Amino acid sequence: MVGVLVITAVWAMLPAYIPNNIAVVGGGSRPIDGGRTWAGRRILGDGKTWRGTVVGIAGGFLLALGLNSINESVSAVVGVKLPVFSLGAAIGLATGAMAGDIGASFLKRRSGRERGASFPGLDQLDFVIGALCLAALVASDWFATVFTLDIIAVVVVLTPLFHVATNVLAYGVGLKAEPW
Ligand code: CTP
Ligand code: MG
């Protein structure tokens, strides 16, 4: 049933969805690249900071633990056996999401896009690719059980829609400088 797939996919991806949003709120200060450039362009840019990265990863990790603690009651309410996050899964999803976002900034700078410029496609899926790859790497058994091909398909289709919606919202309330 599609409903079960969507609920499971969203639950399993929440620790990967939240780090970028937390970074927007908690970010700032020292950029990871220290202002350094490569071939005349910033390596990452001022939009990727140590503080944003650390609070983003910590937020995603803590969210996974929080979801574990309410797993049984939520599973009972929605009538779906929701996945429990292993420690590796929690770390992999949160860290991978931030790494994917940082990787995207690296590619944006190499292609001449300034901080904040949009890169349609990459902007919406960078953190998904990072989260799934790192989770598969550090929590392979967990990943193989939870992220079946149909779940991955739902994630790849739904995430860009969620991402666009939350960023437009963050822009609307003045948290983000651009609506992407
Ligand atoms: N942020 C951060 N550290 C991160 C990711 C995000 O501090 N690792 C904060 C920054 O304040 C950033 C904001 O969240 O400006 C929005 O994130 P994002 O849209 O990913 O960055 P941009 O400023 O748009 O820069 P880029 O073009 O490199 O994506
Ligand atoms: Mg941006």
Side-chain angles (χ1 to χ4, degrees), residues 10-28 47-64 67 85 89-102 126-128 130-132 134 159 163 166-167 176:
V10 170
W11 183 271
M13 284 301 285
L14 276 173
Y17 287 157
I18 229 67
N20 285 291
N21 299 305
I22 294 181
V24 172
V25 182
K48 303 298 115 139
T49 69
W50 285 113
R51 202 172 75 198
T53 306
V54 170
V55 297
I57 292 172
F61 177 75
L62 292 176
L63 179 73
L67 292 177
F85 299 97
I91 293 168
L93 289 169
T95 311
M98 285 271 79
D101 177 59
I102 291 170
D126 51 18
F127 59 103
V128 173
L132 295 186
L134 199 61
T159 305
H163 191 253
T166 53
N167 282 338
K176 266 180 78 80

Side-chain angles (χ1 to χ4, degrees), residues 33-118:
D33 66 11
R36 283 186 285 275
T37 58
W38 182 26
R41 304 185 203 284
R42 283 290 292 274
I43 297 175
L44 298 173
D46 284 332
K48 303 298 115 139
T49 69
W50 285 113
R51 202 172 75 198
T53 306
V54 170
V55 297
I57 292 172
F61 177 75
L62 292 176
L63 179 73
L65 300 188
L67 292 177
N68 280 350
S69 70
I70 56 168
N71 183 299
E72 284 189 19
S73 39
V74 178
S75 293
V77 170
V78 298
V80 178
K81 181 68 201 91
L82 296 164
V84 174
F85 299 97
S86 65
L87 281 187
I91 293 168
L93 289 169
T95 311
M98 285 271 79
D101 177 59
I102 291 170
S105 290
F106 178 78
L107 294 178
K108 286 189 197 177
R109 302 299 94 82
R110 303 289 72 72
S111 66
R113 290 171 172 80
E114 297 296 333
R115 173 189 181 181
S118 74

Side-chain angles (χ1 to χ4, degrees), residues 122-155:
L122 191 65
D123 280 330
Q124 288 76 36
L125 286 172
D126 51 18
F127 59 103
V128 173
I129 296 166
L132 295 186
C133 289
L134 199 61
L137 208 67
V138 300
S140 46
D141 290 344
W142 179 90
F143 184 84
T145 310
V146 174
F147 282 95
T148 50
L149 281 182
D150 45 4
I151 294 283
I152 294 176
V154 169
V155 166

